[in-house]
Amino acid sequence: QVQLVESGGGVVQPGGSLRLSCAASGGGFRINAMDWYRQVPGKQRELVASIDSHGSTNYVDSVKGRFTISMDNAKNTVYLQMSGLKPEDTAVYYCNADATDLYSALARDYWGQGTQVTVSS
């Protein structure tokens, strides 16, 4: 079983920066990829950025050039560095991990509890 704990959300003014962190723990697993999603009330959860175990990254167009996803494989931790924040970035940000159980060889998704990011003047 994998537990994901997120941190780093908060309130920031437009143009500001925040760094989100998500640490995976639990033992007996291998992380295949980790992602950041975000969701605002009344809308579907949106994939913001993803990174795999080889370091390959992808971003939604709206955050390209402003957000950077990175992963510390030794710590099983993924980060989302957000710069040039805009009011439309306001959302609950969720961490997702695609992990393989080393005993069963089965892969599944795990979710964090979410962290609020508010961009407002």
Side-chain angles (χ1 to χ4, degrees):
Q1 194 76 356
V2 177
Q3 293 83 43
L4 300 177
V5 178
E6 299 147 343
S7 60
V11 180
V12 64
Q13 292 187 340
S17 299
L18 281 175
R19 190 176 84 151
L20 306 182
S21 300
C22 173
S25 63
F29 64 90
R30 180 185 69 246
I31 296 292
N32 302 312
M34 296 187 80
D35 313 305
W36 286 99
Y37 286 74
R38 64 187 179 188
Q39 189 170 26
V40 297
K43 292 190 176 182
Q44 285 190 331
R45 195 168 291 189
E46 173 188 46
L47 176 61
V48 176
S50 61
I51 185 168
D52 67 18
S53 58
H54 303 291
S56 295
T57 60
N58 281 290
Y59 300 90
V60 68
D61 286 347
S62 60
V63 308
K64 285 181 180 177
R66 300 188 298 121
F67 290 12
T68 301
I69 189 170
S70 60
M71 186 159 63
D72 185 331
N73 290 321
K75 296 181 179 180
N76 285 326
T77 299
V78 65
Y79 305 95
L80 186 67
Q81 178 67 49
M82 305 184 292
S83 303
L85 283 161
K86 305 175 180 180
E88 51 264 43
D89 294 318
T90 296
V92 178
Y93 283 70
Y94 295 91
C95 174
N96 171 273
D98 175 346
T100 297
D101 185 298
L102 296 179
Y103 301 102
S104 68
L106 295 176
R108 57 159 285 188
D109 283 336
Y110 298 87
W111 291 91
Q113 79 283 1
T115 184
Q116 177 71 47
V117 171
T118 302
V119 184
S120 174
S121 55

